[in-house]
Amino acid sequence: VQLQASGGGLVQPGGSLRLSCAVSGPIFSIGVMEWYRQVPGKQRALVASISRDGGTDYADSVEGRFTISRDNAKNTVSLQMNALEPEDTAVYYCHPEVWRVGVGAYEYGYWGQGTLVTVSS
């Protein structure tokens, strides 16, 4: 299973970015898809999650500014980030539950390579 994240970069405060993550390989199903972020010296923190049927949940710090979405047909998850703040600067990771072909359950150990988001003027 491969995860390919994209969309990070440098943006000014108040700006927007859209992150995407594509999951490929011998996949039977993808369950919950999540975005985490991590800054140096801190633990990786959950930013947003989306269930297979589209139910979403957000960290308080991003509620109302970030929107998570997914395309089940393409095995992708996106994170639209608006009104970005310097405190949003971090490496962002996608984290899906993956049910591989031939395996009888979801596995939760897959992480994208991370994409850096820098919010600075």
Side-chain angles (χ1 to χ4, degrees):
V1 174
Q2 294 82 43
L3 281 68
Q4 182 65 48
S6 60
L10 173 64
V11 64
Q12 292 186 341
S16 298
L17 281 175
R18 185 177 180 85
L19 307 182
S20 294
C21 178
V23 186
S24 61
I27 298 166
F28 173 72
S29 177
I30 297 179
V32 174
M33 303 183 86
E34 299 171 323
W35 284 98
Y36 279 73
R37 66 187 182 187
Q38 188 171 25
V39 299
K42 292 190 175 182
Q43 287 189 323
R44 202 168 290 187
L46 180 63
V47 175
S49 65
I50 184 167
S51 64
R52 184 165 179 81
D53 63 2
T56 60
D57 195 19
Y58 298 93
D60 289 344
S61 59
V62 308
E63 182 83 52
R65 300 188 297 122
F66 291 10
T67 302
I68 189 172
S69 59
R70 64 188 289 168
D71 185 330
N72 290 334
K74 296 181 179 179
N75 291 336
T76 60
V77 61
S78 297
L79 187 68
Q80 178 67 41
M81 305 185 294
N82 299 328
L84 282 161
E85 303 169 352
E87 292 74 22
D88 297 316
T89 296
V91 178
Y92 285 72
Y93 298 89
C94 60
H95 187 210
E97 282 182 325
V98 179
W99 187 323
R100 289 183 292 147
V101 173
V103 175
Y106 284 109
E107 298 169 305
Y108 201 46
Y110 299 99
W111 291 90
Q113 83 277 18
T115 185
L116 177 62
V117 172
T118 303
V119 185
S120 175
S121 55

